[in-house]
Coordinates of all heavy atoms in Angstrom, one line a residue:
V33 N 236.7 29.9 70.4 CA 237.4 30.0 71.7 C 236.9 29.1 72.7 O 237.6 28.4 73.4 CB 237.3 31.5 72.2 CG1 237.9 31.6 73.6 CG2 238.0 32.4 71.2
A34 N 235.6 29.0 72.9 CA 235.0 28.2 73.9 C 235.2 26.7 73.6 O 235.5 25.9 74.5 CB 233.5 28.4 74.0
L35 N 235.1 26.3 72.3 CA 235.3 24.9 71.9 C 236.7 24.5 72.1 O 237.0 23.4 72.6 CB 234.9 24.7 70.5 CG 233.4 24.8 70.2 CD1 233.1 25.1 68.7 CD2 232.7 23.6 70.7
L36 N 237.7 25.3 71.8 CA 239.1 25.0 71.9 C 239.5 24.9 73.4 O 240.1 23.9 73.8 CB 240.0 26.0 71.2 CG 241.5 25.7 71.2 CD1 241.7 24.4 70.5 CD2 242.2 26.9 70.4
A37 N 239.0 25.9 74.2 CA 239.3 25.9 75.6 C 238.6 24.7 76.3 O 239.2 24.0 77.1 CB 238.9 27.2 76.3
G38 N 237.3 24.5 75.9 CA 236.6 23.4 76.5 C 237.2 22.0 76.2 O 237.3 21.1 77.0
G39 N 237.6 21.8 74.9 CA 238.2 20.6 74.5 C 239.5 20.3 75.2 O 239.9 19.2 75.6
S40 N 240.3 21.4 75.4 CA 241.6 21.3 76.1 C 241.3 20.9 77.6 O 242.1 20.1 78.2 CB 242.4 22.6 76.1 OG 242.6 23.0 74.8
A41 N 240.3 21.4 78.2 CA 240.0 21.0 79.6 C 239.4 19.6 79.7 O 239.8 18.8 80.6 CB 238.9 22.0 80.2
L42 N 238.6 19.2 78.7 CA 238.0 17.9 78.7 C 239.1 16.8 78.5 O 238.9 15.7 78.9 CB 236.9 17.8 77.6 CG 235.6 18.5 77.8 CD1 234.8 18.5 76.6 CD2 234.9 18.0 79.0
A43 N 240.2 17.2 77.8 CA 241.2 16.2 77.5 C 241.8 15.6 78.7 O 242.3 14.4 78.6 CB 242.3 16.9 76.6
F44 N 241.8 16.3 79.8 CA 242.5 15.8 81.0 C 241.5 15.3 82.1 O 241.9 15.0 83.2 CB 243.3 16.9 81.6 CG 244.5 17.4 80.8 CD1 244.4 18.4 79.9 CD2 245.7 16.7 80.8 CE1 245.4 18.8 79.1 CE2 246.7 17.0 80.0 CZ 246.6 18.1 79.1
L45 N 240.2 15.1 81.6 CA 239.3 14.4 82.6 C 239.7 13.0 82.8 O 240.1 12.3 81.9 CB 237.9 14.5 82.0 CG 237.1 15.8 82.0 CD1 235.8 15.7 81.3 CD2 237.0 16.3 83.4
P46 N 239.6 12.5 84.1 CA 240.0 11.1 84.3 C 239.1 10.2 83.6 O 237.8 10.4 83.6 CB 239.8 11.0 85.9 CG 239.9 12.4 86.4 CD 239.3 13.3 85.3
G47 N 239.6 9.1 83.1 CA 238.9 8.1 82.4 C 238.6 8.4 80.9 O 238.2 7.4 80.2
L48 N 238.9 9.6 80.5 CA 238.7 9.9 79.0 C 239.8 9.4 78.2 O 241.0 9.6 78.6 CB 238.5 11.4 78.8 CG 238.0 11.8 77.4 CD1 236.5 11.4 77.3 CD2 238.2 13.3 77.2
P49 N 239.6 8.6 77.2 CA 240.7 8.0 76.4 C 241.5 9.2 75.7 O 240.9 10.2 75.3 CB 240.0 7.1 75.4 CG 238.6 7.6 75.3 CD 238.3 8.2 76.7
T50 N 242.8 8.9 75.5 CA 243.6 9.9 74.8 C 243.2 9.9 73.3 O 243.1 8.9 72.7 CB 245.1 9.5 74.9 OG1 245.4 9.5 76.3 CG2 246.0 10.5 74.2
V51 N 243.0 11.1 72.8 CA 242.6 11.3 71.4 C 243.8 11.4 70.6 O 244.6 12.3 70.8 CB 241.6 12.5 71.2 CG1 241.3 12.7 69.8 CG2 240.4 12.3 72.0
T52 N 244.0 10.5 69.6 CA 245.1 10.6 68.7 C 244.5 10.9 67.3 O 243.6 10.1 66.9 CB 246.0 9.4 68.7 OG1 245.1 8.2 68.4 CG2 246.6 9.2 70.0
L53 N 245.1 11.8 66.6 CA 244.5 12.2 65.3 C 245.4 11.7 64.2 O 246.6 11.8 64.2 CB 244.4 13.7 65.1 CG 243.6 14.4 66.2 CD1 243.6 15.9 65.9 CD2 242.1 13.9 66.2
D54 N 244.8 11.1 63.2 CA 245.5 10.7 61.9 C 245.5 11.9 61.1 O 244.4 12.3 60.6 CB 244.7 9.5 61.2 CG 245.4 9.1 60.0 OD1 246.2 9.9 59.4 OD2 245.2 8.0 59.5
P55 N 246.7 12.6 60.8 CA 246.7 13.9 60.2 C 246.1 13.8 58.7 O 245.4 14.7 58.3 CB 248.2 14.2 60.2 CG 248.9 13.0 60.4 CD 248.0 12.2 61.3
A56 N 246.4 12.8 58.0 CA 245.9 12.7 56.6 C 244.4 12.5 56.6 O 243.7 13.2 55.8 CB 246.6 11.5 55.9
L57 N 243.9 11.7 57.6 CA 242.4 11.6 57.7 C 241.7 12.8 58.1 O 240.7 13.2 57.6 CB 242.1 10.4 58.6 CG 240.6 10.0 58.7 CD1 240.2 9.5 57.4 CD2 240.5 8.9 59.8
V58 N 242.3 13.6 59.0 CA 241.8 14.8 59.5 C 241.7 15.8 58.3 O 240.6 16.5 58.1 CB 242.6 15.4 60.6 CG1 242.2 16.9 60.9 CG2 242.4 14.6 61.9
L59 N 242.7 15.9 57.6 CA 242.7 16.9 56.4 C 241.7 16.5 55.4 O 240.9 17.3 54.9 CB 244.1 16.9 55.8 CG 245.2 17.7 56.5 CD1 246.5 17.7 55.7 CD2 244.7 19.2 56.7
V60 N 241.6 15.2 55.1 CA 240.7 14.8 54.0 C 239.2 14.9 54.5 O 238.3 15.1 53.6 CB 241.1 13.4 53.5 CG1 240.5 12.3 54.4 CG2 240.5 13.2 52.1
I61 N 239.0 14.7 55.7 CA 237.6 14.8 56.2 C 237.1 16.2 56.3 O 236.0 16.6 55.9 CB 237.4 14.0 57.6 CG1 237.5 12.5 57.4 CG2 236.1 14.4 58.2 CD1 237.5 11.7 58.7
F62 N 237.9 17.0 57.0 CA 237.5 18.4 57.4 C 237.8 19.5 56.3 O 237.0 20.4 56.1 CB 238.0 18.8 58.7 CG 237.5 17.9 59.8 CD1 238.2 16.9 60.4 CD2 236.2 18.2 60.3 CE1 237.7 16.2 61.4 CE2 235.7 17.5 61.4 CZ 236.4 16.4 61.9
L63 N 239.0 19.4 55.7 CA 239.5 20.5 54.9 C 238.6 20.8 53.7 O 238.2 21.9 53.4 CB 240.9 20.3 54.6 CG 241.6 21.6 54.0 CD1 241.5 22.8 54.9 CD2 243.1 21.3 53.7
P64 N 238.3 19.7 52.9 CA 237.5 20.0 51.6 C 236.2 20.7 51.9 O 235.9 21.7 51.2 CB 237.4 18.6 51.0 CG 238.5 17.8 51.5 CD 238.8 18.3 52.9
P65 N 235.3 20.2 52.8 CA 234.0 20.9 52.9 C 234.1 22.3 53.5 O 233.4 23.2 53.1 CB 233.2 19.9 53.9 CG 234.2 19.1 54.6 CD 235.4 18.9 53.6
L66 N 235.1 22.5 54.4 CA 235.3 23.8 55.0 C 235.8 24.8 54.0 O 235.5 26.0 53.9 CB 236.1 23.7 56.2 CG 235.5 22.9 57.4 CD1 236.5 22.7 58.5 CD2 234.2 23.5 57.9
L67 N 236.7 24.3 53.1 CA 237.2 25.2 52.0 C 236.1 25.4 51.0 O 235.9 26.6 50.5 CB 238.4 24.5 51.3 CG 239.7 24.5 52.0 CD1 240.7 23.6 51.2 CD2 240.3 25.9 52.1
M68 N 235.3 24.4 50.7 CA 234.2 24.6 49.8 C 233.2 25.6 50.3 O 232.6 26.4 49.5 CB 233.5 23.2 49.5 CG 232.3 23.2 48.7 SD 232.6 23.6 46.9 CE 233.3 22.1 46.3
D69 N 232.9 25.5 51.6 CA 231.9 26.5 52.2 C 232.4 27.9 52.0 O 231.6 28.8 51.6 CB 231.8 26.1 53.7 CG 230.7 27.0 54.3 OD1 229.6 26.9 53.9 OD2 231.0 27.7 55.3
G70 N 233.7 28.2 52.2 CA 234.2 29.5 52.0 C 234.2 29.9 50.5 O 233.8 31.1 50.2
A71 N 234.5 29.0 49.6 CA 234.6 29.4 48.2 C 233.2 29.5 47.6 O 232.9 30.3 46.7 CB 235.4 28.3 47.4
W72 N 232.3 28.7 48.0 CA 230.9 28.6 47.5 C 230.2 30.0 47.7 O 229.5 30.5 46.8 CB 230.1 27.5 48.1 CG 228.8 27.2 47.5 CD1 227.6 28.0 47.7 CD2 228.4 26.1 46.7 NE1 226.6 27.4 47.0 CE2 227.0 26.2 46.4 CE3 229.1 25.0 46.2 CZ2 226.3 25.3 45.6 CZ3 228.4 24.1 45.4 CH2 227.1 24.2 45.1
F73 N 230.4 30.5 48.9 CA 229.6 31.7 49.2 C 230.4 33.0 49.1 O 229.8 34.1 49.4 CB 229.1 31.6 50.7 CG 228.1 30.5 50.8 CD1 228.4 29.3 51.4 CD2 226.8 30.6 50.3 CE1 227.5 28.2 51.6 CE2 225.9 29.5 50.5 CZ 226.2 28.4 51.1
I74 N 231.6 33.0 48.7 CA 232.4 34.2 48.6 C 232.0 35.1 47.5 O 231.5 34.5 46.5 CB 233.9 33.9 48.5 CG1 234.8 35.1 48.9 CG2 234.3 33.4 47.1 CD1 236.3 34.8 49.1
A75 N 232.1 36.4 47.6 CA 231.7 37.3 46.5 C 232.8 37.3 45.5 O 233.9 37.7 45.7 CB 231.5 38.7 47.1
V76 N 232.5 36.8 44.3 CA 233.5 36.6 43.2 C 234.1 37.9 42.7 O 235.3 38.0 42.4 CB 233.0 35.7 42.1 CG1 234.0 35.5 41.0 CG2 232.6 34.3 42.7

Side-chain angles (χ1 to χ4, degrees):
V33 171
L35 289 162
L36 186 57
S40 301
L42 291 172
F44 294 93
L45 285 179
L48 192 71
T50 301
V51 175
T52 55
L53 302 179
D54 181 339
L57 187 61
V58 167
L59 283 180
V60 79
I61 289 176
F62 291 102
L63 193 57
L66 296 173
L67 286 172
M68 175 69 75
D69 185 59
W72 187 286
F73 295 105
I74 199 169
V76 176

